[in-house]
Amino acid sequence: MVNANNYIFRKNKNVASKWHYYGLKIKPIRSKIINEETKGERYMKVISMINQKGGVGKTTSTYNIAVLLARKYRVLMIDSDSQASLTLMTANNPLALEYSLADVYSGNKNIEDCIYQLPIDNLSLVSSNLSLAKLETTLMAVPFGRETKLEKALKRIEEQFDYVIVDCPPSLGILTINSLVASDYVIAPCETSPLSVYALDDLTDTINAVKEINGRLELLGVIATKYNKIAKSDRASLDSLEEEYKILGIIKNSVSAKKGIEDGIPCVISDQGSDVAKSYNEITNRILEEVENG
């Protein structure tokens, strides 16, 4: 087990130098983030990134939007997927980090002990690993309060962050329900394909059911991803999305979205002039307008 005082990159000798190339200072991970000066300044908003279909750009959207929000706000990303895609995308080895979201759900640790500060100012992470999958099975056997565990955990840090973005697993199981109960808003990244569009029906049904417990929950909108305007099926799928949902933005099918990922650097930093980076900037501004004026 690697000491939590050391920032853990995957085995890539060039990672650290590339972070410095983009002007990002590598900081030590801290097991707790406590800032008394900012205490009580703003009410924390929680956003769940959800689509039960995998491979729709959910994690990529989470990371890029969180990075952009962190330019102005204190942001916490939570990796709620046992596949640990978000943790890996930040260039962390999930098995090397001492504590993770599984420790929060099990009651082994408080959430503030599981927060790791990333090299980007104002951006932190609660990581995930495969143990979360085992814990999900255990949670299903809990008779009472299993759907409010994340909500209760986040109340402990609601004065330390302005935005929390939860990268949910590609399912509508108990981990996703926990995220919805704890959230103010839902954003649904959706590939412009018939199967992805169809999957949104189940998500909206789930959101409406959770509103019985969490009345403030709101579907903020859909991010249309992997869009290819040349493909007839993509255009038809986008038309269907626009008829049914509020579209926060469109991400074209491009290699730019993957640029820098191996080094933990999102495209809004590594390829700022790309169409994808510009789209994420527009989407983030739209999110802020919706949240702060809504």
Side-chain angles (χ1 to χ4, degrees):
M1 194 69 68
V2 180
N3 191 295
N5 290 324
N6 297 319
Y7 191 81
I8 309 302
F9 285 105
R10 281 182 290 169
K11 294 180 180 179
N12 184 340
K13 295 180 180 179
N14 297 319
V15 167
S17 62
K18 289 184 179 180
W19 275 109
H20 285 298
Y21 174 80
Y22 290 108
L24 301 171
K25 183 180 179 181
I26 297 176
K27 302 175 182 179
I29 284 178
R30 296 179 296 177
S31 61
K32 292 186 180 181
I33 292 186
I34 299 174
N35 189 343
E36 294 295 332
E37 294 180 2
T38 58
K39 200 170 183 179
E41 284 186 4
R42 189 190 302 269
Y43 175 69
M44 181 177 73
K45 298 295 184 184
V46 183
I47 300 173
S48 285
M49 288 280 188
I50 301 177
N51 192 318
Q52 67 268 37
K53 187 179 183 303
V56 298
K58 177 173 53 64
T59 302
T60 300
S61 296
T62 297
Y63 194 19
N64 280 280
I65 290 169
V67 166
L68 292 170
L69 287 173
R71 292 178 178 176
K72 185 178 179 182
Y73 302 98
R74 301 164 296 171
V75 181
L76 174 65
M77 300 187 298
I78 297 179
D79 190 347
S80 187
D81 187 352
S82 62
Q83 298 177 73
S85 297
L86 181 60
T87 303
L88 289 165
M89 194 172 284
T90 61
N92 276 291
N93 179 346
L95 299 179
L97 298 179
E98 189 171 3
Y99 303 123
S100 70
L101 185 60
D103 292 291
V104 178
Y105 276 115
S106 68
N108 183 46
K109 286 291 178 180
N110 293 324
I111 192 169
E112 56 265 37
D113 297 316
C114 304
I115 296 172
Y116 295 90
Q117 184 176 346
L118 296 176
I120 298 170
D121 286 339
N122 298 321
L123 186 62
S124 303
L125 172 73
V126 174
S127 67
S128 180
N129 55 46
L130 287 173
S131 61
L132 191 61
K134 299 178 182 177
L135 193 72
E136 185 171 15
T137 303
T138 303
L139 276 176
M140 291 303 298
V142 175
F144 303 108
R146 61 188 180 188
E147 73 281 352
T148 61
K149 286 184 174 292
L150 184 59
E151 179 186 34
K152 290 176 180 177
L154 289 178
K155 284 183 178 179
R156 298 179 60 90
I157 57 169
E158 63 184 1
E159 293 181 327
Q160 296 175 30
F161 295 96
D162 302 310
Y163 283 91
V164 174
I165 305 182
V166 186
D167 186 32
C168 294
S171 69
L172 296 177
I174 190 63
L175 296 177
T176 297
I177 298 300
N178 261 269
S179 182
L180 289 172
V181 170
S183 291
D184 301 285
Y185 302 101
V186 175
I187 294 175
C190 180
E191 184 180 356
T192 49
S193 70
L195 287 176
S196 293
V197 175
Y198 180 76
L200 287 182
D201 288 339
D202 287 339
L203 175 58
T204 53
D205 289 343
T206 302
I207 291 171
N208 290 331
V210 173
K211 280 184 178 181
E212 297 293 324
I213 304 172
N214 176 11
R216 69 184 184 279
L217 186 63
E218 176 185 342
L219 177 59
L220 199 61
V222 171
I223 299 173
T225 62
K226 299 185 178 181
Y227 178 63
N228 181 0
K229 66 179 181 181
I230 299 176
K232 185 177 179 180
S233 61
D234 281 38
R235 296 198 305 271
S237 295
L238 182 60
D239 288 343
S240 297
L241 287 172
E242 289 174 334
E243 289 176 5
E244 297 292 332
Y245 304 98
K246 182 188 300 179
I247 304 299
L248 297 173
I250 301 170
I251 303 298
K252 295 179 181 178
N253 191 13
S254 170
V255 296
S256 297
K258 298 181 180 179
K259 187 175 181 180
I261 285 178
E262 286 299 314
D263 304 318
I265 304 170
C267 73
V268 294
I269 294 175
S270 65
D271 198 9
Q272 297 180 31
S274 67
D275 288 341
V276 172
K278 291 175 182 177
S279 294
Y280 275 123
N281 271 276
E282 293 171 0
I283 289 167
T284 304
N285 288 332
R286 180 79 182 274
I287 290 169
L288 289 172
E289 289 174 7
E290 294 287 338
V291 170
E292 300 191 351
N293 297 330

